C-alpha cells in the first residue's frame, strides 16, 4: 500500500487550493475536484502553480521534483488537473519509502 | 513561499539548492525576471542550475506574489529591492542573472554595488540609453504579424517609440476581455509573455493603471555609457539572434570588449523559454570557466 494514496493526496491538494483561492472572487462552474484543471478551471497563473507545489512540498515535508511533471519535452505543459497532481504526489511519496 | 517584508513592499522569493553536498559553501546564483513575468519564468531552468548553485529567484515588486506599492518601479529602485533581498539572505557575493527588463535591474545593482557581484549575466536586455526607440516596424516579421493582430482588433501605433509596451498592454487587455490567447500568432510568443491567463492579465493592467509603473518602466537608466564601460565584472550577455534587443547587444559589444557575447540562432526575446537547454549551457559554460573579462579598473 502506498504511504499516501492518490485519494489522500488529492484531498490535501484540494484543501491547499481552496486556501489559496479563498479571496480570489472566482466564479467556479463546479466545486474543485479531480478533473478540475489548474489554469482552465481555477484560473491559476504560472506563479500560482509554483506557490501550489511549494505548499504541497511543505504539507508533505518532502521535495518532489515537480519540474518532471511541469515540463514536457523541455517546455511547460499547458495545464494540469488535480488528479494528475495527486497521482504524481502519491507516486513520489510511495517511491520515497524504504 | 518565503516573503521578505520591506518598509515599502513585500518581496516573494524562492530558493532551490540541489547540490550533491548541501553542506559545502554555496555559490549563489540570483535570477531576476523581466516585465509581466514572475519567478516562475525561471522554474524550468532552475533545477539544472540548482545542481551546482544555490539558486534564488525573486518576484520583482508589482509582479508575481510580491507587493504592489503605488510607486518605485524604475530599474534603480527595483535594484535596491534585490539588494535588500541579498542582505536579508546574507548573500555577500552572487552571480546575478537578469532577463530583459530584469537585466536592466541587475545592471543598476552591478553599477551601484559591484562588490556584491561575482559576475553579471544579461539575457536579451534592451537599454534605453543605447537603443532609445523600440518601434514594431523594426522588428523581424512585423509585416506578417501586424496584419494578423489587426484582424484580432489589436491596433498598434507603428511609429510609437515604445511600441513593445503598447503591444504588451493591448495583448493583456485582449486576454482580459475573456479572449483566448491561443488565437495569437505563434510568432508573438517570441516577443511577449502571452498565455499567462486572465489573472496574469488582470495583474498587469492593475499595475499599469494604479501605480507609477507605466512611467517608471520607460524612465531612462541612471547610468551613462562611460559608467557602463567602466564595469569590471565578468560579464556574459546572451541574445536571441532575432530579438529586437540585438541593437543594444551590438553597442554593448563595443563598450565591453572583453565580455562574452552569445547569440542564439533562430531565437527571439524569450529564448529562456523557447530554447532553455541552449541557455542553460551558456550559463554553465560561463560560470564554470574562469572569466577573462575581469578587467583592470580604468
Amino acid at each position: 500500500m502506498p504511504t499516501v494514496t492518490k485519494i489522500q493526496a488529492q484531498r490535501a491538494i484540494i484543501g491547499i487550493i481552496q486556501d489559496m483561492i479563498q479571496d480570489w472572487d472566482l466564479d467556479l462552474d463546479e466545486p474543485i475536484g479531480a478533473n478540475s484543471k489548474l489554469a482552465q478551471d481555477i484560473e491559476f497563473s504560472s506563479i500560482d502553480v509554483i506557490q501550489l507545489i511549494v505548499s504541497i512540498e511543505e504539507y508533505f515535508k518532502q521535495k518532489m521534483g515537480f519540474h518532471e511533471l511541469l515540463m514536457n519535452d523541455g517546455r511547460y505543459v499547458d495545464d494540469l488537473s488535480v488528479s494528475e497532481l495527486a497521482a504524481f504526489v502519491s507516486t513520489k511519496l510511495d517511491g520515497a519509502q524504504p | 513561499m518565503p516573503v521578505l517584508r520591506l518598509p515599502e513592499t513585500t518581496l516573494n522569493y524562492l530558493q532551490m539548492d540541489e547540490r550533491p553536498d548541501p553542506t559545502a559553501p554555496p555559490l549563489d546564483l540570483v535570477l531576476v525576471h523581466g516585465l509581466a513575468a514572475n519567478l516562475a519564468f525561471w522554474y524550468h531552468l532552475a533545477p539544472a542550475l540548482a545542481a551546482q548553485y544555490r539558486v534564488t529567484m525573486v518576484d520583482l515588486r508589482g509582479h508575481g506574489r510580491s507587493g504592489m506599492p503605488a510607486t518605485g518601479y524604475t530599474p534603480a529602485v527595483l535594484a535596491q529591492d534585490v539588494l535588500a533581498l541579498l542582505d536579508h539572505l546574507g548573500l555577500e557575493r552572487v552571480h546575478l542573472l537578469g532577463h530583459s527588463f530584469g537585466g536592466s535591474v541587475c545592471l543598476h545593482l552591478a553599477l551601484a554595488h559591484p562588490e556584491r557581484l561575482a559576475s553579471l549575466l544579461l539575457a536579451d536586455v534592451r537599454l534605453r540609453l543605447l537603443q532609445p526607440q523600440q518601434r514594431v516596424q523594426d522588428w523581424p516579421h512585423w509585416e506578417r504579424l501586424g496584419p494578423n493582430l489587426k484582424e484580432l482588433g489589436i491596433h498598434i501605433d507603428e511609429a510609437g517609440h515604445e511600441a513593445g509596451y503598447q503591444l504588451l498592454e493591448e495583448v493583456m487587455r485582449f486576454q482580459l476581455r475573456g479572449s483566448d490567447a491561443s488565437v495569437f500568432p505563434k510568432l508573438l510568443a517570441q516577443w511577449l509573455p502571452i498565455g499567462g491567463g486572465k489573472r496574469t492579465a488582470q495583474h498587469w493592467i492593475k499595475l499599469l493603471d494604479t501605480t507609477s509603473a507605466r512611467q517608471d518602466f520607460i524612465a531612462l537608466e541612471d547610468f551613462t555609457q562611460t559608467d557602463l564601460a567602466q564595469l569590471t565584472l565578468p560579464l556574459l550577455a546572451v541574445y536571441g539572434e532575432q530579438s529586437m534587443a540585438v541593437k543594444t547587444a551590438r553597442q554593448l559589444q563595443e563598450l565591453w570588449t572583453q565580455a562574452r557575447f552569445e547569440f542564439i540562432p533562430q531565437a527571439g526575446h524569450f529564448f529562456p523559454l523557447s530554447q532553455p537547454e541552449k541557455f542553460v549551457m551558456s550559463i554553465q559554460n560561463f560560470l564554470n570557466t574562469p572569466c577573462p573579462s575581469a578587467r583592470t579598473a580604468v
Side-chain angles (χ1 to χ4, degrees):
Chain A
M1 286 287 288
T3 325
V4 174
T5 63
K6 186 189 161 212
I7 297 298
Q8 288 171 330
Q10 193 165 291
R11 200 174 297 146
I13 291 166
I14 290 172
I16 294 168
I17 293 173
Q18 283 170 336
D19 278 351
M20 284 178 66
I21 66 170
Q22 57 183 329
D23 57 353
W24 280 14
D25 198 22
L26 281 181
D27 189 14
L28 293 174
D29 292 335
E30 50 189 66
I32 296 167
N35 295 323
S36 301
K37 293 215 157 192
L38 297 182
Q40 184 184 314
D41 299 326
I42 321 178
E43 297 187 16
F44 263 40
S45 64
S46 56
I47 191 65
D48 301 320
V49 176
I50 305 302
Q51 174 66 47
L52 174 62
I53 64 182
V54 168
S55 298
I56 293 172
E57 288 179 337
E58 282 173 359
Y59 182 91
F60 290 106
K61 298 181 174 57
Q62 187 181 311
K63 296 274 182 194
M64 299 187 201
F66 272 98
H67 54 276
E68 291 171 28
L69 182 66
L70 296 178
M71 302 305 295
N72 183 15
D73 204 16
R75 287 180 170 73
Y76 274 121
V77 295
D78 288 336
D79 210 344
L80 278 175
S81 68
V82 168
S83 175
E84 287 170 313
L85 264 174
F88 179 83
V89 168
S90 174
T91 304
K92 283 289 172 181
L93 293 176
D94 188 28
Q97 283 301 295
Chain B
M1 266 184 281
V3 174
L4 168 61
R5 296 189 185 284
L6 297 172
E8 279 188 35
T9 187
T10 56
L11 287 183
N12 184 55
Y13 66 95
L14 184 62
Q15 288 193 293
M16 198 180 278
D17 186 355
E18 296 177 2
R19 293 169 301 136
D21 179 8
T23 60
L27 293 168
D28 281 292
L29 175 60
V30 177
L31 310 179
V32 182
H33 63 79
L35 293 185
N38 56 61
L39 64 78
F41 179 81
W42 302 111
Y43 198 78
H44 63 306
L45 303 176
L49 299 168
Q52 209 175 348
Y53 297 89
R54 180 168 61 183
V55 175
T56 302
M57 297 162 267
V58 60
D59 283 338
L60 293 173
R61 69 166 72 185
H63 291 73
R65 295 174 69 87
S66 287
M68 191 187 286
T71 57
Y73 294 92
T74 62
V77 174
L78 296 171
Q80 290 170 20
D81 286 347
V82 176
L83 180 65
L85 180 64
L86 300 188
D87 289 343
H88 170 72
L89 295 173
L91 309 183
E92 288 297 323
R93 209 151 171 263
V94 303
H95 300 281
L96 188 62
L97 164 58
H99 174 248
S100 190
F101 186 81
S104 180
V105 173
C106 294
L107 201 42
H108 277 81
L109 182 51
L111 287 162
H113 294 278
E115 76 283 358
R116 301 299 293 270
L117 268 66
S119 70
L120 176 64
L121 299 84
L122 303 177
D124 229 78
V125 179
R126 170 216 167 194
L127 297 178
R128 206 158 268 97
L129 174 72
L130 303 177
Q131 188 180 349
Q133 298 187 358
Q134 194 189 47
R135 297 182 309 174
V136 283
Q137 59 203 155
D138 297 334
W139 295 4
H141 311 302
W142 177 252
E143 71 287 356
R144 273 198 288 149
L145 189 57
N148 285 341
L149 290 173
K150 265 185 195 160
E151 278 176 28
L152 295 172
I154 296 175
H155 299 275
I156 303 298
D157 173 10
E158 296 194 346
H161 290 179
E162 289 296 346
Y165 285 93
Q166 192 201 350
L167 183 54
L168 177 58
E169 182 174 350
E170 293 302 325
V171 163
M172 290 292 194
R173 288 194 189 279
F174 182 86
Q175 287 176 264
L176 210 52
R177 293 194 287 270
S179 307
D180 184 0
S182 65
V183 300
F184 291 133
K186 282 187 178 163
L187 258 179
L188 200 59
Q190 283 197 9
W191 299 341
L192 298 179
I194 57 171
K198 195 174 164 188
R199 290 189 61 251
T200 302
Q202 274 171 340
H203 199 83
W204 180 249
I205 296 301
K206 183 181 172 191
L207 180 65
L208 294 184
D209 286 352
T210 66
T211 75
S212 63
R214 189 192 295 274
Q215 301 88 294
D216 290 354
F217 289 154
I218 58 171
L220 194 64
E221 293 90 1
D222 279 358
F223 46 74
T224 64
Q225 291 198 31
T226 308
D227 296 328
L228 285 178
Q230 290 182 351
L231 201 61
T232 58
L233 289 162
L235 280 158
L236 170 70
V238 187
Y239 283 81
E241 199 180 58
Q242 296 174 4
S243 165
M244 65 289 194
V246 164
K247 276 186 186 173
T248 294
R250 297 300 177 203
Q251 294 193 61
L252 285 176
Q253 278 182 304
E254 292 178 17
L255 288 170
W256 294 338
T257 52
Q258 295 183 62
R260 184 183 297 182
F261 281 82
E262 296 184 11
F263 295 87
I264 298 190
Q266 296 177 319
H269 185 58
F270 282 93
F271 62 81
L273 294 177
S274 66
Q275 306 213 23
E277 301 87 356
K278 285 183 186 167
F279 186 42
V280 166
M281 202 175 290
S282 293
I283 296 168
Q284 288 173 330
N285 286 342
F286 173 74
L287 292 177
N288 292 339
T289 311
C291 190
S293 60
R295 298 181 297 169
T296 308
V298 180

